[in-house]
Amino acid sequence: MIPRGRGSPREALSRALEDEATVSLASLDLDAFGEINNRLGRDAGDRLIDLLCRTLMEHAGTHGWAVGRIGGDEFAVCMPGVGLERAFLLMEALRGEFATRAAEEYPELCPIISIGVANAPRDARDLYGLTQQADQALHQAKENGRNTVGLPSREGDGAPLLLLHHLPGGPPEEAGRAVEEEGVRAPA
């Protein structure tokens, strides 16, 4: 499970916002988790939560993220110093890795995750606003087919909501190309 003591996403976000630094927040959850629990039992759901926690903690250790379980199958990932484009690509890599690992370990479950990513100062300048924007991006990702990474729309400037739909068997560079096609430059 997610260990305590590494600093919560809330604490990491608060520090970054106080320092007026760039910080990205991802909100994610397992798609159709309730259906999996109902159909295959809580043990199956617990195994998926454990796999997601392991995947998150491996990425957190590599990248220096703060990760927390919000409740049930919902998690938050704070990425201090990470801009929106990079956060988007990192979350797409995490989503793809989880899908691959889950399909290998639990082929009968077909588990997938959806992720919403927001960035300060781009999308909000306070903790509440950033959380709301990440949640809105997650909600849109789910409404638009699940198994996606979504970004919040910038209502003030008419910029489109950006979603990257996973294409089975597609190469990792598809993520960068999809970002560039939507007018958001992927980092080099």
Side-chain angles (χ1 to χ4, degrees), residues 24-106:
S24 292
L25 175 66
S27 181
L28 62 109
D29 69 17
L30 283 159
D31 292 328
F33 183 68
E35 294 171 29
I36 290 170
N37 268 345
N38 290 339
R39 197 179 70 201
L40 299 170
R42 288 190 179 265
D43 287 342
D46 289 347
R47 291 191 326 261
L48 284 179
I49 293 290
D50 183 61
L51 176 61
L52 182 53
C53 288
R54 285 185 279 134
T55 305
L56 284 168
M57 292 313 299
E58 288 168 12
H59 282 258
T62 299
H63 299 289
W65 300 339
V67 177
R69 187 173 180 185
I70 309 291
D73 65 325
E74 299 174 34
F75 294 84
V77 179
C78 175
M79 298 169 273
V82 177
L84 185 65
E85 295 87 0
R86 180 85 177 128
F88 179 86
L89 295 173
L90 288 166
M91 287 296 103
E92 173 54 22
L94 183 139
R95 188 212 52 74
E97 181 181 328
F98 174 78
T100 299
R101 291 172 76 177
E104 290 169 0
E105 292 187 37
Y106 308 110

Side-chain angles (χ1 to χ4, degrees), residues 91-132:
M91 287 296 103
E92 173 54 22
L94 183 139
R95 188 212 52 74
E97 181 181 328
F98 174 78
T100 299
R101 291 172 76 177
E104 290 169 0
E105 292 187 37
Y106 308 110
E108 74 282 7
L109 302 179
C110 301
I112 53 175
I113 57 176
S114 291
I115 305 172
V117 180
N119 176 266
R122 177 196 183 264
D123 300 308
R125 296 186 184 275
D126 61 39
L127 183 63
Y128 177 78
L130 191 59
T131 302
Q132 291 296 106

Side-chain angles (χ1 to χ4, degrees), residues 1-26:
M1 288 315 234
I2 305 280
R4 302 226 182 246
R6 296 190 100 183
S8 73
R10 177 181 284 267
E11 292 166 350
L13 280 170
S14 293
R15 280 191 304 274
L17 291 168
E18 285 172 13
D19 295 343
E20 296 183 12
T22 189
V23 60
S24 292
L25 175 66

